[in-house]
Amino acid sequence: MAKPFLPNASEVLSRSKLPLYLQLAAEFRRNIAQGIWMPDQQIPSLEALMAQYQVARMTLRNAIGILEEEGYIRRGRGKGTFVQRNIPNVTELQIPSNWEETVALSDLLGTESIADGEHAIASLPDLGMKFSGQYAKAYRHLCRLHVKDGVPYCFSEVYLAEDLFKQHKAAFLKAAAASVIARIPGLKIHEARQKITISGAGIESARALNLNVDDSVAEVRRYACDKEKLIYYARLEFPTKFVKLEFDLCP
Amino acid sequence: MAKPFLPNASEVLSRSKLPLYLQLAAEFRRNIAQGIWMPDQQIPSLEALMAQYQVARMTLRNAIGILEEEGYIRRGRGKGTFVQRNIPNVTELQIPSNWEETVALSDLLGTESIADGEHAIASLPDLGMKFSGQYAKAYRHLCRLHVKDGVPYCFSEVYLAEDLFKQHKAAFLKAAAASVIARIPGLKIHEARQKITISGAGIESARALNLNVDDSVAEVRRYACDKEKLIYYARLEFPTKFVKLEFDLCP
DNA sequence: GCCCATTTGTCCGTATGTATG
DNA sequence: ACATACATACGGACAAATGGG
């Protein structure tokens, strides 16, 4: 149990390239989310916050102005600043952890095409996971956006075995791939794996998901095989503000 | 399959508060990570990139300068800019998905104290998960940093049932809690759940984890019960650059 | 060696946003 | 509200190195 060296708060705030008032806004949003600043409670005065964080008054006013726009707090001349009772909250989406859940989520979301490949391609990008099975001869590439109640939840690049795609082209162009695969008679999934990492949105996915560039997204890579070959590979991006993963540790 | 409205690239880049050159650096880093820019290949010239992204030459130079510092590319006057062969890669950490893995990870990481509560407290913060069992009378709060090879991997706030803590105080102050709990004779875990979400680092955790404020972290909330009561609750933060979650979808 | 197109490196002037006191 | 300082972003001009004919 050593005592680690830690930089002080001012150093941490100044080494980031993000504008100071946005860093502070993030910290205050956190204070509310974690219940350190409770609903209907008054938050510390500007004087107190200036002393605590060692920043200028205008910087704090800018930061708090953001929280006010977002509806987290209300300010009153001479009264002070108070946390709102009803904090706006987001619908979280459980990332599937088995094939059934994958299909169920696919059924739930609407599908909009962004760019569909017109031709088959010969090879897949790096799976990022162990896979020692067989690849199909050719794949079709689809790029789409999945939506729920008009809100974009998932940007996806899907690769489907060409022969399978051709047999069910209309269905694959209309719905999420896992939904279609699950309803093909006689087709059984024998192997499927998934790897989740967190990265930043690129320009393309930021456009589609209505995010800023480099906003964090959960990147899900997923493949499925039938008895013989890899028939499905997808790289999905979910905005992390929607992402949740909950499970029993004692199954 | 509707055609969604999408803003153009310039709009996406300008609506973010993050400096433009940092957004571009993120996009380029992504191009390399995803194999769009391959090792030893020349990337587009400044002229070409200026046309593609509609930004000034100096802005691109700043962006590319960052990638050069990070060792992703090399530049040569008159020659062009090339992707490096050996991309620096990070060690990913598998987030545990059952109690055994939780204990195994705890065994792996060193533990440094940041702030240990001197006294017992009566109540726990909101679990963020369903739990209908019994709480213990009092809990002890510990705040620590978990390290591997000198690199901070995990910031944790742990709450332990007071009686259990008092019985094994020395052990709990020296090692990660799950490690200690797993080695207490006669103690069996009957229920344990975990919920993972992604949020931004606060000032405290950014200090400890050597991150910037609002850098994305995986927030893991986890509890465990013995036969009668909730004996362990933890809120953990992992820098998302280390986080990986891989599993079989057909168990 | 020489010219030339290409590409990166450097510098200037200006405007805007951020942060301080 | 103001004066000041600094980083960001733009557009332009020119220098320096490279490689091909």
Side-chain angles (χ1 to χ4, degrees), chain A residues 126-194:
Chain A
D126 183 31
L127 297 196
M129 286 173 277
K130 62 162 189 181
F131 174 65
S132 53
Q134 299 286 312
Y135 289 93
K137 283 208 188 65
Y139 290 92
R140 186 65 65 114
H141 178 229
L142 305 171
C143 183
R144 37 251 294 254
L145 184 64
H146 300 288
V147 177
K148 192 187 166 197
D149 306 325
V151 181
Y153 268 84
C154 174
F155 170 86
S156 71
E157 288 188 87
V158 180
Y159 298 82
L160 288 162
E162 174 69 6
D163 53 351
L164 197 71
F165 173 76
K166 285 216 294 233
Q167 285 169 39
H168 306 87
K169 185 167 178 172
F172 276 124
L173 290 177
K174 209 167 53 189
S179 273
V180 179
I181 291 175
R183 280 159 191 81
I184 296 177
L187 179 59
K188 223 173 146 64
I189 299 303
H190 278 251
E191 188 187 337
R193 280 189 79 77
Q194 162 171 295

Side-chain angles (χ1 to χ4, degrees), chain A residues 5-72:
Chain A
F5 164 77
L6 292 186
N8 63 38
S10 296
E11 281 178 66
V12 176
L13 286 167
S14 60
R15 76 180 174 208
S16 168
K17 294 283 188 174
L18 195 68
L20 189 45
Y21 72 99
L22 292 177
Q23 295 184 60
L24 291 170
E27 177 75 4
F28 297 157
R29 220 179 281 118
R30 218 181 134 79
N31 282 348
I32 294 173
Q34 299 212 354
I36 297 169
W37 289 356
M38 302 289 281
D40 269 329
Q41 234 186 17
Q42 184 170 6
I43 70 170
S45 70
L46 281 180
E47 291 300 324
L49 292 171
M50 283 171 66
Q52 184 177 351
Y53 295 107
Q54 295 287 297
V55 294
R57 175 184 243 86
M58 281 304 295
T59 307
L60 281 167
R61 281 195 53 78
N62 280 335
I64 293 176
I66 292 178
L67 287 247
E68 188 178 34
E69 281 174 26
E70 293 174 340
Y72 286 100

Side-chain angles (χ1 to χ4, degrees), chain B residues 46 57 61 75-78 80-81:
Chain B
L46 286 176
R57 192 188 159 74
R61 279 193 51 74
R75 292 193 279 197
R77 196 181 246 185
T81 305

Side-chain angles (χ1 to χ4, degrees), chain B residues 131-180:
Chain B
F131 174 65
S132 51
Q134 297 289 312
Y135 289 94
K137 285 211 186 63
Y139 291 92
R140 186 66 65 113
H141 178 231
L142 306 172
C143 182
R144 36 250 296 253
L145 184 65
H146 300 288
V147 178
K148 191 187 168 198
D149 306 325
V151 180
Y153 269 84
C154 173
F155 171 86
S156 71
E157 289 188 87
V158 181
Y159 297 82
L160 288 162
E162 174 71 3
D163 53 351
L164 198 70
F165 173 76
K166 284 218 293 235
Q167 283 168 39
H168 306 87
K169 185 167 179 173
F172 276 124
L173 290 177
K174 209 166 54 187
S179 272
V180 179

